[in-house]
């Protein structure tokens, strides 16, 4: 099944064309085309993602990105097919720029595309609508079924790329991103239950806020981690004790990250950064505190003996130290770990094609041509299929 997937939930515009298959108990994903435009530099001036700016940038990027992905994927040019163009354009009343550009996509012979997958949530509503309205227009223009897809399922299933057997069930999933910090229980029928979540800030958000306090810029996770690694190299046996580990001893699987950020704020107020080595030490102290909590909750969940595997996903999985620690924990408990490739941890559209295919393969979603009335679900729970 060839799936064209679209991701616009936050500040990355992504379009992929992926050949998805399932045989001999394995999933296989072959990338035919994959393009991503990040707006991170633009939003950096605001220190976070600015929704109306995100919408504008998605609207500018989306059609040229689809066009490039189709070309990269070897989709042939054909005679103009304008039959459905007017009714397709109706979906883009609120996206004049996209509406105007849609015509450029009438020149492709889309016989080889089987479905269009699009992120419907969770995310920023104005940003999500650009992808969803474009997908509805394409579905009408080319007469292709739509697969409304949960962004968080993209993070859950990205570890199946490029080829893997399905997780061993019941599986534990750890999702750590700029908007989410969750532990999920997934059964064989792919029913998903939220075991624990953050009560305030997400871990990625904590990294981003801490980076701003440390004067490192946005998005901050990777920058803090780079600083922290310098300190790890210089002082491998150092024990971090400067900051609190909120809720680490708590019985639940919930976490809390706002107190850690406040502790850093107060520390810096009383002890301004001295020099480069002090900056890397503070980054390491912060990173250790943040990771101790989430790794300990994950380990506690695995030690219940209820889970046959662990899958991990989300932007913070790019963190080298977190990957190391999770590999260590799962090795010592002899639990298989499903870990995404580095490039698939932060937001991308490949993972949306993967999640869409997995949901169809497991009958969580039917491929329906008539489904044009899909909507954005900005606060969609990780436990929900559309
Ligand atoms: O999944 P993602 O791309 O977007 C959301 O859906 O939120 O995650 C982005 C988050 C940001 O908060 C970023 O700071 C964090 O992932 N991040 C990291 C690292 N790389 C990205 N956090 C810690 N260490 C990293 N190396
Ligand atoms: Zn994400």
């Amino acid at each position: 099944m060839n799936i064209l997937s679209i991701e616009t939930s936050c500040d990355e515009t992504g379009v992929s064309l992926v050949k998805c298959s399932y045989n001999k108990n394995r999933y296989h994903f072959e990338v035919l085309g994959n393009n991503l435009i990040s707006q991170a530099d633009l939003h950096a001036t605001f220190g976070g993602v600015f929704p109306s700016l995100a919408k504008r940038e998605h609207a500018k990027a989306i059609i040229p990105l689809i066009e490039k992905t189709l070309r990269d994927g070897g989709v042939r040019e054909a005679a103009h097919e304008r039959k459905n163009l007017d009714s397709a354009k109706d979906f883009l009343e609120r996206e004049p720029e996209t509406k105007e550009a849609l015509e450029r996509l009438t020149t492709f012979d889309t016989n080889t595309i089987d479905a269009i997958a699009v992120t419907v949530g969770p995310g920023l509503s104005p940003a999500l609508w650009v992808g969803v309205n474009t997908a509805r227009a394409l579905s009408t223009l080319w007469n292709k079924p739509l697969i409304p897809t949960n962004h968080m399922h993209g993070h859950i299933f990205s570890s199946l790329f490029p080829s893997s057997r399905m997780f061993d069930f019941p599986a534990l999933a750890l999702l750590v991103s700029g908007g989410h910090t969750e532990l999920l229980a997934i059964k064989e029928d792919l029913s998903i239950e939220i075991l624990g979540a953050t009560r305030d800030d997400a871990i990625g958000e904590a990294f981003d806020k801490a980076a701003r306090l440390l004067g490192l810029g946005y998005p901050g996770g990777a920058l803090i981690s780079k600083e922290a690694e310098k300190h790890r190299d210089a002082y491998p046996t150092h024990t971090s004790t400067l900051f609190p580990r909120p809720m680490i001893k708590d019985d639940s699987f919930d976490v809390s990250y706002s107190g850690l950020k406040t502790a850093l704020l107060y520390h810096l107020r009383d002890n301004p950064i001295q020099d480069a080595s002090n900056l890397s030490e503070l980054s390491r102290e912060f990173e250790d505190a943040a990771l101790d909590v989430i790794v300990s909750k994950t380990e506690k969940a695995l030690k219940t003996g209820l889970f046959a595997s662990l899958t991990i996903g989300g932007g913070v999985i790019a963190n080298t130290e977190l990957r190391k620690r999770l590999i260590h924990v799962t090795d010592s408990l002899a639990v298989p770990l499903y870990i995404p490739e580095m490039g698939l941890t932060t937001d991308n559209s490949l993972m949306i094609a993967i999640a869409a295919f997995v949901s169809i393969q497991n009958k969580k979603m039917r491929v329906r041509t008539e489904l044009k009335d899909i909507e954005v679900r900005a606060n969609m729970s990780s436990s929900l299929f559309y």
Side-chain angles (χ1 to χ4, degrees), residues 151 155 177-179 204-205 207-208 219-222 225 314-316 318-319 345-347:
H151 177 89
H155 285 308
S177 72
E205 188 181 358
F207 268 96
D208 293 338
S225 161
V316 183
N319 186 287
T345 54
T346 48
D347 290 350

Side-chain angles (χ1 to χ4, degrees), residues 141-309:
L141 184 69
W142 298 334
N143 197 27
K144 303 289 175 193
L146 279 175
I147 313 170
T149 305
N150 186 327
H151 177 89
M152 301 318 291
H153 295 178
H155 285 308
I156 294 175
F157 296 111
S158 57
S159 57
L160 297 177
F161 181 84
S163 168
S164 173
R165 43 192 289 273
M166 191 27 125
F167 318 139
D168 320 76
F169 291 108
L172 180 70
L174 170 67
L175 297 183
V176 279
S177 72
H180 286 73
T181 307
E182 287 179 344
L183 278 167
L184 311 170
I186 311 178
K187 293 201 191 125
E188 183 142 27
D189 66 355
L190 292 197
S191 57
I192 300 173
E193 185 199 337
I194 300 176
L195 276 187
T198 180
R199 298 205 177 157
D200 38 60
D201 292 352
I203 183 170
E205 188 181 358
F207 268 96
D208 293 338
K209 286 177 176 169
R212 206 176 319 154
L213 293 173
L214 293 167
L216 285 171
Y218 172 88
L223 300 168
I224 291 201
S225 161
K226 205 169 138 207
E227 285 300 322
E229 286 302 313
K230 288 183 203 163
H231 193 270
R232 283 180 206 288
D233 289 344
Y235 305 97
T237 57
H238 170 87
T239 311
S240 297
T241 51
L242 198 56
F243 299 124
R245 272 74 172 151
M247 295 185 69
I248 199 165
K249 295 237 155 64
D250 176 272
D251 278 343
S252 76
F253 292 106
D254 287 348
V255 294
S256 159
Y257 278 103
S258 71
L260 177 56
K261 166 205 68 198
T262 313
L264 175 64
L265 176 74
Y266 288 153
H267 178 84
L268 288 171
R269 190 190 56 189
D270 301 334
N271 312 276
I273 298 172
Q274 306 290 322
D275 52 24
S277 101
N278 186 212
L279 173 66
S280 55
E281 181 183 355
L282 285 173
S283 299
R284 199 255 182 93
E285 287 278 354
F286 175 87
E287 187 174 82
D288 277 341
L291 299 186
D292 279 355
V293 176
I294 197 65
V295 172
S296 126
K297 295 276 170 162
T298 308
E299 186 172 12
K300 188 172 93 170
L302 291 176
K303 280 185 170 164
T304 60
L306 294 171
F307 299 102
S309 66

Side-chain angles (χ1 to χ4, degrees), residues 83 90 248 349 360:
K83 194 170 60 195
D90 286 347
I248 199 165
S349 47
I360 281 169

